């Protein structure tokens, strides 16, 4: 009968333990090829000559196009009654040294409008006020005010601001088209086998046994007869002996193999990260039409 040590020495541990490890290596290789195929199939257009799935050349990147409205000018609420005229001119700095009233120039209005005009009043060398002589029309923003002394007048420092009754200005929107490489929008599978453990258990029970059975058999019978003053008896006895022996060996073998594999999503390789960076730089938005005004409520 072989000993338990001899039983274990007959097991092919190289195949039993090395087989799962080889399978893990093959699985990692297949995962890497799956990543390559995913990038080529999803992220790039096929070329007419591309037949080999392992070919290194690819077509152009696949872009996803989006159209969306972009506000290029915000909505501006109306100021005053919204008639587009200059409502007032306020002196912010009277200046000094003015001998005569300076010239007041108000900035130009919007397209098709008339320019407002005004005159200044001076007292003790200082501008005391500005009076509108023409409110103008179609002003869409507060105009600038420029104060210029008369020729040879030493006055200086005068300044003023104007407020216009501006009408509400509609927001301007423009239709834009955004093109994004599809690879920058999808999670790319990078599966990595993080750990592998192999548990092998062998249990061998070997038992030798000897079994002996012994038996003794006795049979007896008695016969008797009697008269008035006499009698007779006969006794018969028989015995037998039997012995049985059994010898053998009982061997129980139990084997178990458990393989534990832990796989995780690996970090993106440096080359792929650089590629996605280049594709991200290629994201561009361009107008598809001229700006249009939204209706004013």
């Amino acid at each position: 009968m072989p000993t338990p040590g001899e039983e274990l020495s007959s097991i092919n541990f190289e195949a039993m333990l090395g087989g799962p490890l080889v399978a893990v290596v093959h699985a990692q290789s297949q995962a890497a090829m799956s990543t390559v195929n995913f990038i080529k199939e999803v992220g790039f257009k096929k070329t007419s000559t591309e037949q080999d799935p392992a070919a290194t050349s690819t077509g152009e990147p696949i872009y996803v196009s989006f159209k969306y409205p972009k506000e290029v000018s915000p909505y501006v609420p109306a100021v005053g009654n919204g008639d587009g005229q200059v409502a007032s001119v306020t002196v912010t700095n009277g200046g000094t040294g003015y001998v005569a009233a300076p010239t007041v120039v108000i900035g130009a209005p919007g397209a098709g409008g008339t320019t407002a005009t005004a005159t200044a009043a001076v007292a003790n060398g200082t501008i005391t006020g500005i009076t509108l002589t023409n409110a103008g029309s179609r002003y869409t923003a507060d105009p600038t005010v420029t104060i210029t002394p008369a020729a040879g007048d030493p006055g200086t420092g005068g300044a003023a601001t104007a407020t216009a009754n501006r009408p509400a200005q509609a927001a301007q929107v423009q239709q834009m088209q955004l093109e994004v490489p599809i690879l920058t929008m999808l999670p790319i599978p990078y599966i990595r086998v993080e750990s592998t453990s192999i548990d092998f258990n062998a249990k061998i029970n070997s038992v030798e046994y000897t079994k002996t059975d012994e038996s003794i058999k006795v049979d007896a019978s008695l016969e008797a007869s009697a008269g008035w003053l006499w009698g007779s008896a006969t006794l018969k006895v028989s015995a037998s002996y039997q012995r049985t022996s059994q010898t053998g060996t009982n061997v129980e073998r139990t084997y178990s193999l458990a393989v534990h594999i832990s796989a995780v999503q690996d970090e993106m390789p440096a080359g792929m990260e650089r590629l996605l960076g280049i594709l991200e730089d290629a994201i561009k938005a361009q107008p598809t039409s001229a700006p249009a005004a939204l209706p004013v409520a």
Side-chain angles (χ1 to χ4, degrees), residues 86-91 101-107 114-121 127 129-136 139 143-148 160-163:
V86 176
S88 63
V89 179
T90 304
V91 177
T103 302
V104 178
V105 178
I106 299 177
T114 57
T115 303
T117 58
T119 58
I127 300 174
I130 296 178
T131 303
L132 282 170
T133 57
N134 184 356
Y139 279 94
T144 60
V145 178
T146 304
I147 298 177
T148 305
T161 59
T163 301

Side-chain angles (χ1 to χ4, degrees), residues 8-23 198 200 257:
L8 291 176
S9 64
S10 65
I11 299 175
N12 189 352
F13 285 97
E14 181 178 357
M16 184 169 294
L17 302 181
L21 293 179
V22 173
I198 301 174
F200 174 70
L257 178 66

Side-chain angles (χ1 to χ4, degrees), residues 129-288:
I130 296 178
T131 303
L132 282 170
T133 57
N134 184 356
S137 64
R138 295 192 179 183
Y139 279 94
T140 58
D142 291 337
T144 60
V145 178
T146 304
I147 298 177
T148 305
D153 194 326
T156 184
T161 59
T163 301
N165 294 325
R166 304 186 300 269
Q169 297 182 36
Q172 299 285 324
V173 295
Q174 191 170 32
Q175 192 75 8
M176 304 291 291
Q177 180 170 310
L178 181 66
E179 294 184 352
V180 182
I182 194 171
L183 275 182
T184 62
M185 302 173 58
L186 300 176
I188 300 176
Y190 284 103
I191 303 302
R192 172 176 59 88
V193 177
E194 185 177 40
S195 63
T196 302
S197 62
I198 301 174
D199 302 325
F200 174 70
N201 296 315
K203 181 180 180 182
I204 301 175
N205 293 330
S206 180
V207 180
E208 293 185 357
Y209 65 90
T210 301
K211 181 179 179 182
T212 303
D213 294 330
E214 295 184 355
S215 63
I216 300 176
K217 183 179 181 181
V218 178
D219 295 329
S221 62
L222 176 64
E223 296 180 359
S225 61
W228 177 250
L229 295 175
W230 59 271
S232 64
T234 301
L235 177 63
K236 294 182 180 180
V237 179
S238 62
S240 63
Y241 172 76
Q242 184 177 2
R243 178 175 179 173
T244 303
S245 298
Q246 294 181 356
T247 303
T249 302
N250 186 20
V251 180
E252 295 181 358
R253 300 178 180 86
T254 303
Y255 303 103
S256 64
L257 178 66
V259 180
H260 307 275
I261 299 176
S262 175
V264 296
Q265 174 75 1
D266 200 5
E267 295 182 359
M268 186 180 301
M272 191 62 201
E273 187 174 359
R274 180 65 183 275
L275 172 61
L276 291 181
I278 295 174
L279 292 178
E280 287 177 358
D281 292 339
I283 297 176
K284 55 185 178 181
Q286 55 186 3
T288 60

